[in-house]
Short mmCIF file of all heavy atoms in Angstrom, two decimals:
data_model
loop_
_atom_site.label_atom_id
_atom_site.label_comp_id
_atom_site.label_asym_id
_atom_site.label_seq_id
_atom_site.Cartn_x
_atom_site.Cartn_y
_atom_site.Cartn_z
N LEU A 295 82.86 98.16 106.90
CA LEU A 295 84.11 97.48 107.25
C LEU A 295 85.06 98.55 107.77
O LEU A 295 85.29 99.56 107.11
CB LEU A 295 84.69 96.76 106.03
CG LEU A 295 85.98 95.99 106.28
CD1 LEU A 295 85.81 94.91 107.35
CD2 LEU A 295 86.46 95.33 104.99
N TYR A 296 85.58 98.31 108.98
CA TYR A 296 86.41 99.33 109.61
C TYR A 296 87.84 99.28 109.09
O TYR A 296 88.40 98.21 108.89
CB TYR A 296 86.38 99.16 111.14
CG TYR A 296 85.06 99.67 111.65
CD1 TYR A 296 83.93 98.84 111.67
CD2 TYR A 296 84.90 100.99 112.02
CE1 TYR A 296 82.70 99.31 112.07
CE2 TYR A 296 83.67 101.48 112.43
CZ TYR A 296 82.58 100.64 112.45
OH TYR A 296 81.36 101.13 112.83
N THR A 297 88.40 100.44 108.88
CA THR A 297 89.80 100.54 108.49
C THR A 297 90.43 101.63 109.35
O THR A 297 89.74 102.54 109.80
CB THR A 297 89.93 100.83 106.98
OG1 THR A 297 91.31 100.78 106.62
CG2 THR A 297 89.38 102.16 106.57
N SER A 298 91.74 101.49 109.57
CA SER A 298 92.41 102.45 110.45
C SER A 298 92.33 103.86 109.89
O SER A 298 92.43 104.06 108.69
CB SER A 298 93.88 102.08 110.60
OG SER A 298 93.98 100.91 111.34
N VAL A 307 83.98 102.14 106.84
CA VAL A 307 83.82 102.34 105.39
C VAL A 307 82.51 101.68 104.95
O VAL A 307 82.28 100.49 105.23
CB VAL A 307 85.02 101.71 104.65
CG1 VAL A 307 84.78 101.67 103.15
CG2 VAL A 307 86.29 102.48 104.98
N TRP A 342 89.02 91.09 106.29
CA TRP A 342 89.57 92.25 105.59
C TRP A 342 88.83 92.42 104.27
O TRP A 342 88.16 91.51 103.79
CB TRP A 342 91.06 92.05 105.31
CG TRP A 342 91.87 91.73 106.52
CD1 TRP A 342 92.40 90.52 106.84
CD2 TRP A 342 92.21 92.61 107.60
NE1 TRP A 342 93.06 90.60 108.04
CE2 TRP A 342 92.97 91.87 108.53
CE3 TRP A 342 91.96 93.96 107.87
CZ2 TRP A 342 93.47 92.42 109.70
CZ3 TRP A 342 92.47 94.51 109.04
CH2 TRP A 342 93.22 93.74 109.94
N ILE A 343 89.03 93.59 103.63
CA ILE A 343 88.29 93.85 102.39
C ILE A 343 88.63 92.83 101.30
O ILE A 343 87.77 92.45 100.50
CB ILE A 343 88.52 95.30 101.89
CG1 ILE A 343 87.56 95.67 100.75
CG2 ILE A 343 89.95 95.50 101.42
CD1 ILE A 343 86.13 95.81 101.11
N THR A 344 89.88 92.35 101.27
CA THR A 344 90.24 91.40 100.21
C THR A 344 89.34 90.17 100.28
O THR A 344 88.91 89.64 99.25
CB THR A 344 91.73 91.00 100.33
OG1 THR A 344 92.49 92.21 100.38
CG2 THR A 344 92.18 90.16 99.17
N GLY A 345 89.05 89.73 101.50
CA GLY A 345 88.18 88.58 101.66
C GLY A 345 86.73 88.90 101.28
O GLY A 345 86.04 88.09 100.66
N TYR A 348 87.02 89.45 97.27
CA TYR A 348 87.60 88.41 96.42
C TYR A 348 87.63 87.02 97.05
O TYR A 348 88.35 86.15 96.59
CB TYR A 348 88.98 88.86 95.91
CG TYR A 348 88.83 90.13 95.09
CD1 TYR A 348 89.34 91.34 95.54
CD2 TYR A 348 88.09 90.14 93.90
CE1 TYR A 348 89.16 92.51 94.81
CE2 TYR A 348 87.90 91.30 93.17
CZ TYR A 348 88.43 92.49 93.63
OH TYR A 348 88.23 93.64 92.91
N TYR A 388 95.95 84.03 94.84
CA TYR A 388 96.03 85.45 95.22
C TYR A 388 96.51 85.55 96.65
O TYR A 388 95.86 85.01 97.55
CB TYR A 388 94.61 86.02 95.09
CG TYR A 388 94.45 87.52 95.11
CD1 TYR A 388 95.45 88.39 94.68
CD2 TYR A 388 93.23 88.09 95.52
CE1 TYR A 388 95.25 89.76 94.68
CE2 TYR A 388 93.03 89.46 95.51
CZ TYR A 388 94.05 90.29 95.09
OH TYR A 388 93.84 91.64 95.08
N PRO A 391 102.27 90.21 99.57
CA PRO A 391 103.74 90.23 99.55
C PRO A 391 104.37 89.70 100.83
O PRO A 391 105.39 89.03 100.80
CB PRO A 391 104.08 91.71 99.34
CG PRO A 391 102.90 92.27 98.63
CD PRO A 391 101.71 91.52 99.16
N THR A 418 98.85 89.49 93.73
CA THR A 418 99.35 90.01 95.00
C THR A 418 98.60 91.29 95.37
O THR A 418 98.13 92.02 94.52
CB THR A 418 100.89 90.21 94.98
OG1 THR A 418 101.22 91.34 95.78
CG2 THR A 418 101.43 90.43 93.61
N VAL A 419 98.50 91.53 96.67
CA VAL A 419 97.75 92.68 97.17
C VAL A 419 98.18 93.03 98.59
O VAL A 419 98.62 92.17 99.33
CB VAL A 419 96.23 92.40 97.21
CG1 VAL A 419 95.89 91.18 98.06
CG2 VAL A 419 95.45 93.61 97.71
N GLY A 420 98.03 94.29 98.93
CA GLY A 420 98.17 94.70 100.33
C GLY A 420 99.26 95.71 100.58
O GLY A 420 99.17 96.49 101.52
N GLU A 421 100.30 95.69 99.79
CA GLU A 421 101.40 96.63 99.99
C GLU A 421 102.27 96.57 98.73
O GLU A 421 102.13 95.63 97.92
CB GLU A 421 102.21 96.23 101.22
CG GLU A 421 102.76 94.84 101.09
CD GLU A 421 103.56 94.37 102.29
OE1 GLU A 421 104.49 95.08 102.66
OE2 GLU A 421 103.24 93.30 102.81
N PRO A 422 103.16 97.52 98.59
CA PRO A 422 104.05 97.46 97.43
C PRO A 422 104.85 96.16 97.48
O PRO A 422 105.32 95.77 98.55
CB PRO A 422 104.97 98.67 97.62
CG PRO A 422 104.22 99.59 98.54
CD PRO A 422 103.40 98.72 99.43
N ILE A 423 104.98 95.49 96.36
CA ILE A 423 105.78 94.26 96.35
C ILE A 423 107.17 94.62 95.82
O ILE A 423 107.31 95.22 94.76
CB ILE A 423 105.11 93.12 95.56
CG1 ILE A 423 106.00 91.86 95.58
CG2 ILE A 423 104.72 93.49 94.14
CD1 ILE A 423 105.27 90.58 95.17
N VAL A 443 99.65 89.46 88.76
CA VAL A 443 98.84 90.68 88.79
C VAL A 443 99.03 91.36 90.14
O VAL A 443 98.62 90.85 91.17
CB VAL A 443 97.34 90.42 88.46
CG1 VAL A 443 97.15 90.18 86.96
CG2 VAL A 443 96.75 89.27 89.24
N ASP A 444 99.71 92.52 90.10
CA ASP A 444 99.97 93.30 91.32
C ASP A 444 98.81 94.28 91.43
O ASP A 444 98.77 95.29 90.74
CB ASP A 444 101.32 94.01 91.16
CG ASP A 444 101.63 94.95 92.32
OD1 ASP A 444 100.81 95.09 93.24
OD2 ASP A 444 102.72 95.55 92.30
N THR A 445 97.86 93.96 92.30
CA THR A 445 96.61 94.72 92.36
C THR A 445 96.68 95.76 93.47
O THR A 445 96.76 95.42 94.64
CB THR A 445 95.43 93.78 92.63
OG1 THR A 445 95.65 93.13 93.89
CG2 THR A 445 95.29 92.72 91.56
N PHE A 446 96.62 97.01 93.09
CA PHE A 446 96.57 98.08 94.09
C PHE A 446 95.12 98.47 94.32
O PHE A 446 94.38 98.75 93.36
CB PHE A 446 97.34 99.33 93.62
CG PHE A 446 97.02 100.53 94.47
CD1 PHE A 446 97.66 100.71 95.68
CD2 PHE A 446 96.03 101.43 94.09
CE1 PHE A 446 97.33 101.80 96.49
CE2 PHE A 446 95.70 102.51 94.89
CZ PHE A 446 96.36 102.70 96.10
N TRP A 447 94.72 98.49 95.58
CA TRP A 447 93.38 98.99 95.92
C TRP A 447 93.30 99.17 97.42
O TRP A 447 94.30 99.02 98.12
CB TRP A 447 92.29 98.08 95.37
CG TRP A 447 92.30 96.63 95.81
CD1 TRP A 447 93.25 95.69 95.55
CD2 TRP A 447 91.28 95.97 96.57
NE1 TRP A 447 92.89 94.49 96.10
CE2 TRP A 447 91.70 94.63 96.73
CE3 TRP A 447 90.06 96.36 97.12
CZ2 TRP A 447 90.93 93.69 97.43
CZ3 TRP A 447 89.30 95.43 97.79
CH2 TRP A 447 89.73 94.12 97.95
N GLN A 448 92.13 99.53 97.92
CA GLN A 448 91.95 99.87 99.33
C GLN A 448 90.57 99.42 99.80
O GLN A 448 89.68 99.22 98.96
CB GLN A 448 92.00 101.40 99.50
CG GLN A 448 93.20 102.06 98.89
CD GLN A 448 93.14 103.58 99.03
OE1 GLN A 448 92.22 104.21 98.51
NE2 GLN A 448 94.10 104.15 99.71
N THR A 449 90.40 99.34 101.12
CA THR A 449 89.08 99.06 101.67
C THR A 449 88.06 100.02 101.03
O THR A 449 86.95 99.64 100.67
CB THR A 449 89.10 99.27 103.20
OG1 THR A 449 90.16 98.49 103.75
CG2 THR A 449 87.77 98.87 103.84
N GLU A 450 88.49 101.25 100.87
CA GLU A 450 87.62 102.31 100.37
C GLU A 450 87.26 102.13 98.90
O GLU A 450 86.20 102.57 98.46
CB GLU A 450 88.34 103.66 100.51
CG GLU A 450 88.60 104.11 101.94
CD GLU A 450 89.91 103.57 102.53
OE1 GLU A 450 90.43 102.54 102.03
OE2 GLU A 450 90.42 104.18 103.48
N THR A 451 88.14 101.54 98.11
CA THR A 451 87.89 101.46 96.66
C THR A 451 86.99 100.28 96.30
O THR A 451 86.52 100.18 95.17
CB THR A 451 89.19 101.38 95.84
OG1 THR A 451 89.83 100.13 96.09
CG2 THR A 451 90.15 102.51 96.14
N GLY A 452 86.77 99.37 97.24
CA GLY A 452 85.85 98.25 97.03
C GLY A 452 86.46 97.13 96.20
O GLY A 452 86.16 95.96 96.41
N GLY A 453 87.27 97.47 95.22
CA GLY A 453 87.89 96.47 94.36
C GLY A 453 89.16 97.05 93.75
O GLY A 453 89.52 98.22 94.01
N HIS A 454 89.81 96.26 92.90
CA HIS A 454 91.08 96.67 92.28
C HIS A 454 90.90 97.98 91.52
O HIS A 454 89.94 98.13 90.77
CB HIS A 454 91.51 95.63 91.24
CG HIS A 454 91.56 94.23 91.76
ND1 HIS A 454 91.13 93.13 91.05
CD2 HIS A 454 91.99 93.75 92.95
CE1 HIS A 454 91.30 92.03 91.76
NE2 HIS A 454 91.81 92.37 92.92
N MET A 456 94.14 99.86 90.39
CA MET A 456 95.31 99.89 89.50
C MET A 456 95.81 98.46 89.43
O MET A 456 96.16 97.87 90.46
CB MET A 456 96.43 100.76 90.10
CG MET A 456 96.04 102.19 90.41
SD MET A 456 95.65 103.21 88.98
CE MET A 456 97.22 103.30 88.16
N THR A 457 95.86 97.91 88.26
CA THR A 457 96.24 96.50 88.15
C THR A 457 96.54 96.10 86.71
O THR A 457 95.93 96.65 85.78
CB THR A 457 95.08 95.59 88.66
OG1 THR A 457 95.43 94.23 88.45
CG2 THR A 457 93.76 95.86 87.98
N GLY A 468 106.96 94.95 90.32
CA GLY A 468 106.86 96.00 91.32
C GLY A 468 105.92 97.13 90.91
O GLY A 468 105.64 98.02 91.71
N SER A 469 105.41 97.08 89.69
CA SER A 469 104.48 98.13 89.25
C SER A 469 103.06 97.59 89.18
O SER A 469 102.83 96.51 88.64
CB SER A 469 104.87 98.64 87.86
OG SER A 469 103.82 99.43 87.33
N ALA A 470 102.12 98.37 89.73
CA ALA A 470 100.70 97.99 89.62
C ALA A 470 100.16 98.39 88.24
O ALA A 470 98.96 98.29 87.98
CB ALA A 470 99.89 98.61 90.75
N LEU A 497 98.85 110.09 94.70
CA LEU A 497 97.95 109.36 93.80
C LEU A 497 96.50 109.74 94.14
O LEU A 497 96.06 109.59 95.29
CB LEU A 497 98.13 107.85 93.96
CG LEU A 497 97.16 107.00 93.13
CD1 LEU A 497 97.43 107.17 91.63
CD2 LEU A 497 97.27 105.52 93.50
N TYR A 529 89.50 112.26 94.58
CA TYR A 529 89.55 111.30 95.69
C TYR A 529 91.03 111.07 95.99
O TYR A 529 91.79 110.66 95.09
CB TYR A 529 88.88 109.97 95.29
CG TYR A 529 89.17 108.83 96.26
CD1 TYR A 529 88.34 108.60 97.35
CD2 TYR A 529 90.29 108.02 96.10
CE1 TYR A 529 88.62 107.57 98.25
CE2 TYR A 529 90.58 107.01 96.99
CZ TYR A 529 89.74 106.79 98.06
OH TYR A 529 90.03 105.79 98.95
N THR A 531 94.00 109.09 97.69
CA THR A 531 94.21 107.72 98.23
C THR A 531 95.02 107.71 99.52
O THR A 531 94.92 106.77 100.29
CB THR A 531 94.98 106.84 97.21
OG1 THR A 531 96.25 107.47 96.95
CG2 THR A 531 94.22 106.65 95.93
N GLY A 532 95.90 108.73 99.68
CA GLY A 532 96.83 108.68 100.83
C GLY A 532 98.12 107.96 100.48
O GLY A 532 99.00 107.83 101.31
N ASP A 533 98.21 107.49 99.24
CA ASP A 533 99.43 106.82 98.79
C ASP A 533 100.23 107.72 97.86
O ASP A 533 99.65 108.52 97.12
CB ASP A 533 99.08 105.53 98.03
CG ASP A 533 98.68 104.43 98.97
OD1 ASP A 533 99.56 103.89 99.65
OD2 ASP A 533 97.47 104.10 99.03
N GLY A 534 101.54 107.52 97.91
CA GLY A 534 102.41 108.19 96.94
C GLY A 534 102.54 107.31 95.71
O GLY A 534 102.28 106.10 95.76
N TRP A 544 103.76 103.24 89.75
CA TRP A 544 104.46 102.51 90.81
C TRP A 544 104.02 103.11 92.13
O TRP A 544 104.29 104.28 92.40
CB TRP A 544 105.98 102.68 90.67
CG TRP A 544 106.54 102.21 89.36
CD1 TRP A 544 106.41 102.80 88.15
CD2 TRP A 544 107.33 101.03 89.15
NE1 TRP A 544 107.06 102.06 87.18
CE2 TRP A 544 107.65 100.97 87.77
CE3 TRP A 544 107.82 100.02 90.00
CZ2 TRP A 544 108.41 99.95 87.22
CZ3 TRP A 544 108.59 99.01 89.45
CH2 TRP A 544 108.87 98.97 88.07
N ILE A 545 103.33 102.33 92.94
CA ILE A 545 102.87 102.84 94.24
C ILE A 545 104.08 102.88 95.17
O ILE A 545 104.79 101.87 95.30
CB ILE A 545 101.78 101.93 94.85
CG1 ILE A 545 100.69 101.60 93.82
CG2 ILE A 545 101.21 102.53 96.14
CD1 ILE A 545 99.88 102.75 93.33
N THR A 546 104.30 104.04 95.82
CA THR A 546 105.50 104.14 96.66
C THR A 546 105.18 103.99 98.15
O THR A 546 106.07 104.01 98.98
CB THR A 546 106.21 105.48 96.42
OG1 THR A 546 105.24 106.52 96.58
CG2 THR A 546 106.79 105.55 95.02
N GLY A 547 103.90 103.85 98.51
CA GLY A 547 103.54 103.64 99.92
C GLY A 547 102.80 104.83 100.49
O GLY A 547 102.62 105.85 99.82
N ARG A 548 102.39 104.71 101.74
CA ARG A 548 101.55 105.73 102.37
C ARG A 548 102.32 107.03 102.56
O ARG A 548 103.51 107.02 102.87
CB ARG A 548 101.09 105.24 103.75
CG ARG A 548 100.31 103.96 103.75
CD ARG A 548 98.98 104.07 103.07
NE ARG A 548 98.16 105.14 103.61
CZ ARG A 548 96.91 105.38 103.17
NH1 ARG A 548 96.37 104.64 102.22
NH2 ARG A 548 96.22 106.37 103.69
N ILE A 549 101.59 108.14 102.39
CA ILE A 549 102.26 109.40 102.67
C ILE A 549 101.55 110.13 103.81
O ILE A 549 101.70 111.31 103.99
CB ILE A 549 102.38 110.30 101.42
CG1 ILE A 549 101.13 110.20 100.56
CG2 ILE A 549 103.61 109.97 100.63
CD1 ILE A 549 101.25 110.96 99.26
N ASP A 550 100.75 109.39 104.57
CA ASP A 550 100.16 109.97 105.77
C ASP A 550 100.73 109.21 106.97
O ASP A 550 101.67 108.45 106.83
CB ASP A 550 98.63 109.90 105.71
CG ASP A 550 98.16 108.50 105.33
OD1 ASP A 550 98.99 107.56 105.34
OD2 ASP A 550 96.98 108.34 105.02
N MET A 552 100.19 106.58 108.38
CA MET A 552 99.72 105.21 108.43
C MET A 552 100.90 104.27 108.22
O MET A 552 101.85 104.59 107.51
CB MET A 552 98.69 104.95 107.34
CG MET A 552 97.52 105.90 107.38
SD MET A 552 96.48 105.61 108.78
CE MET A 552 95.41 104.44 108.07
N LEU A 553 100.78 103.09 108.82
CA LEU A 553 101.83 102.08 108.67
C LEU A 553 101.21 100.87 108.02
O LEU A 553 100.02 100.60 108.20
CB LEU A 553 102.36 101.67 110.05
CG LEU A 553 102.92 102.81 110.89
CD1 LEU A 553 103.21 102.34 112.30
CD2 LEU A 553 104.20 103.30 110.24
N ASN A 554 102.03 100.13 107.28
CA ASN A 554 101.51 98.93 106.64
C ASN A 554 102.33 97.75 107.16
O ASN A 554 103.45 97.52 106.76
CB ASN A 554 101.62 99.06 105.12
CG ASN A 554 100.79 98.01 104.42
OD1 ASN A 554 100.71 96.87 104.87
ND2 ASN A 554 100.17 98.37 103.31
N GLY A 557 100.77 93.94 105.35
CA GLY A 557 99.61 94.21 104.51
C GLY A 557 98.42 94.77 105.26
O GLY A 557 97.36 94.99 104.69
N HIS A 558 98.57 95.02 106.57
CA HIS A 558 97.47 95.59 107.34
C HIS A 558 97.79 97.03 107.69
O HIS A 558 98.85 97.33 108.22
CB HIS A 558 97.23 94.80 108.62
CG HIS A 558 96.95 93.36 108.38
ND1 HIS A 558 96.04 92.94 107.43
CD2 HIS A 558 97.47 92.24 108.90
CE1 HIS A 558 96.01 91.63 107.40
NE2 HIS A 558 96.87 91.17 108.27
N LEU A 559 96.83 97.89 107.43
CA LEU A 559 97.05 99.30 107.73
C LEU A 559 96.83 99.56 109.21
O LEU A 559 95.84 99.11 109.80
CB LEU A 559 96.03 100.15 106.96
CG LEU A 559 96.35 100.56 105.54
CD1 LEU A 559 95.41 101.68 105.14
CD2 LEU A 559 97.78 101.02 105.40
N LEU A 560 97.73 100.32 109.79
CA LEU A 560 97.58 100.73 111.19
C LEU A 560 97.91 102.21 111.23
O LEU A 560 98.80 102.65 110.51
CB LEU A 560 98.60 100.01 112.06
CG LEU A 560 98.38 98.55 112.35
CD1 LEU A 560 99.62 97.98 113.02
CD2 LEU A 560 97.18 98.39 113.29
O1 PRX B 701 98.99 101.69 100.86
C1 PRX B 701 98.21 100.94 99.97
C2 PRX B 701 98.38 99.46 100.30
O2 PRX B 701 97.34 99.13 101.19
C3 PRX B 701 96.51 100.28 101.42
C4 PRX B 701 95.07 99.85 101.57
O3 PRX B 701 94.95 99.04 102.70
P1 PRX B 701 93.57 98.35 103.04
O4 PRX B 701 92.48 99.35 102.98
O5 PRX B 701 93.77 97.62 104.32
O6 PRX B 701 93.34 97.32 101.88
C5 PRX B 701 94.29 96.33 101.63
C6 PRX B 701 93.77 95.39 100.57
C7 PRX B 701 93.19 96.00 99.38
C8 PRX B 701 96.74 101.15 100.23
O7 PRX B 701 96.39 102.50 100.48
N1 PRX B 701 98.29 98.60 99.10
C9 PRX B 701 97.31 97.74 98.80
N2 PRX B 701 97.61 97.05 97.67
C10 PRX B 701 98.79 97.53 97.23
C11 PRX B 701 99.22 98.52 98.14
N3 PRX B 701 100.36 99.20 97.94
C12 PRX B 701 101.08 98.92 96.84
N4 PRX B 701 100.74 97.97 95.95
C13 PRX B 701 99.62 97.24 96.09
N5 PRX B 701 99.30 96.30 95.21
#
Side-chain angles (χ1 to χ4, degrees):
L295 181 59
Y296 285 85
T297 186
S298 290
V307 170
W342 305 107
I343 190 69
T344 308
Y348 299 112
Y388 194 28
T418 146
V419 57
E421 58 181 306
I423 180 164
V443 285
D444 175 358
T445 60
F446 166 82
W447 59 295
Q448 308 177 299
T449 306
E450 294 87 338
T451 68
H454 307 140
M456 303 293 294
T457 176
S469 167
L497 176 67
Y529 167 90
T531 59
D533 283 288
W544 302 72
I545 311 296
T546 53
R548 302 293 306 182
I549 38 185
D550 49 13
M552 304 291 271
L553 302 171
N554 194 323
H558 303 312
L559 274 195
L560 286 170

